[in-house]
Amino acid sequence: MTSPLNPTRRKHRFGKAWMHEHVSDAYVREAKRRGYRSRAAFKLIELDERDKLLRPGIVAVDLGAAPGSWCQVLRERLGTKATIVAVDVLPMDPVAGVSFVQADFSTDEGLAAVESALAGRPVDLVVSDMAPNLSGIDPVDQARSVGLADLALDFAAHHLQPGGDFAVKVFQGSGLGEFEKAVRERFDKTYVRKPKASRDRSREVFLVGKGFAGEGLPRGARGAGHPGGAGEGGVK
């Protein structure tokens, strides 16, 4: 039985043109220099510098964590007192200070494993860099991307504590507007970001939700003691 998080259970296959672009990419070279496992590390760094997501000592969950570059950034910026739980259906080499769960969190068994790793700790931040294995059929790939983002939002809605933050990758296209609306309904402020580290040809954007309203609560329903207020965002 295949997993909705990795329907083909394989990595992408790339051609020679992609490989040439990859090895000549400035972010790839800098990632190697700094010891990051992939250039994607710089996307999270940019999101943090723009939206102040990473605060020392918080509890964070990284969905779709393999190969682990976002975990490396989380570990660097959250410090030794933080709790970081990484989740992926694919294997991932260990990152010091990160608890890794190899599971499909959209299943009851996988979700139980993630919750066991959290050990009852309330979550301050959920991040997701999940992307579907591309079929080359745009409507199919778009639907899969939005589907993965929906899974991440559902996880966040059930595990974030009020005031928590959320960042998720999704492709621009059909379904993005509806998904953005769903995020706005749950967070005080919502932004759509296109990090400079994202390749120009990529349709990916990141939705950032700041100030979770709380499970079952509409935006703006929280008490005045919680940070944040209603806000609007756009592609920046």
Side-chain angles (χ1 to χ4, degrees):
M1 182 176 179
T2 60
S3 162
L5 302 186
N6 187 15
T8 62
R9 292 190 177 276
R10 62 178 174 81
K11 295 279 192 177
H12 302 298
R13 294 181 179 178
F14 301 108
K16 291 181 179 179
W18 181 92
M19 185 58 67
H20 175 74
E21 177 188 19
H22 182 72
V23 298
S24 61
D25 186 291
Y27 286 105
V28 172
R29 296 196 302 270
E30 183 63 10
K32 289 182 178 179
R33 187 187 72 81
R34 295 172 61 170
Y36 292 137
R37 296 178 183 179
S38 81
R39 70 192 301 283
F42 297 105
K43 300 174 188 178
L44 181 56
I45 289 172
E46 286 187 58
L47 292 175
D48 178 42
E49 291 176 349
R50 186 69 178 269
D51 296 309
K52 311 303 180 187
L53 296 171
L54 308 185
R55 305 181 306 278
I58 66 172
V59 177
V61 177
D62 181 2
L63 302 175
S69 63
W70 277 30
C71 290
Q72 292 175 297
V73 174
L74 290 171
R75 182 65 177 81
E76 287 176 357
R77 298 201 166 200
L78 301 186
T80 58
K81 295 183 179 180
T83 297
I84 304 168
V85 176
V87 189
D88 207 303
V89 295
L90 298 172
M92 186 182 85
D93 290 337
V95 175
V98 175
S99 298
F100 176 61
V101 178
Q102 185 174 353
D104 179 348
F105 72 88
S106 68
T107 68
D108 290 342
E109 181 181 10
L111 183 60
V114 176
E115 292 177 341
S116 177
L118 286 169
R121 299 179 184 89
V123 177
D124 300 294
L125 174 67
V126 174
V127 296
S128 171
D129 192 32
M130 293 189 295
N133 288 307
L134 299 179
S135 67
I137 304 172
D138 285 348
V140 172
D141 295 337
Q142 180 64 26
R144 288 177 177 173
S145 172
V146 174
L148 291 175
D150 274 330
L151 288 173
L153 178 60
D154 184 68
F155 179 91
H158 286 89
H159 293 85
L160 279 176
Q161 64 176 325
D165 297 334
F166 176 59
V168 60
K169 176 163 71 181
V170 65
F171 293 164
Q172 297 180 74
S174 178
L176 175 59
E178 291 83 355
F179 178 70
E180 183 181 348
K181 180 181 178 182
V183 176
R184 290 188 184 280
E185 289 174 349
R186 291 167 172 83
F187 292 86
D188 290 338
K189 297 181 181 180
T190 301
Y191 306 100
V192 184
R193 305 299 194 198
K194 177 74 171 179
K196 294 178 182 178
S198 290
R199 290 189 170 95
D200 291 341
R201 58 178 168 75
S202 174
R203 292 188 291 122
E204 71 177 17
V205 293
F206 290 83
L207 265 67
V208 176
K210 296 279 294 180
F212 179 55
E215 186 177 356
L217 293 176
R219 187 183 68 175
R222 292 188 290 130
H226 292 283
E232 298 297 327
V235 178
K236 305 282 184 168

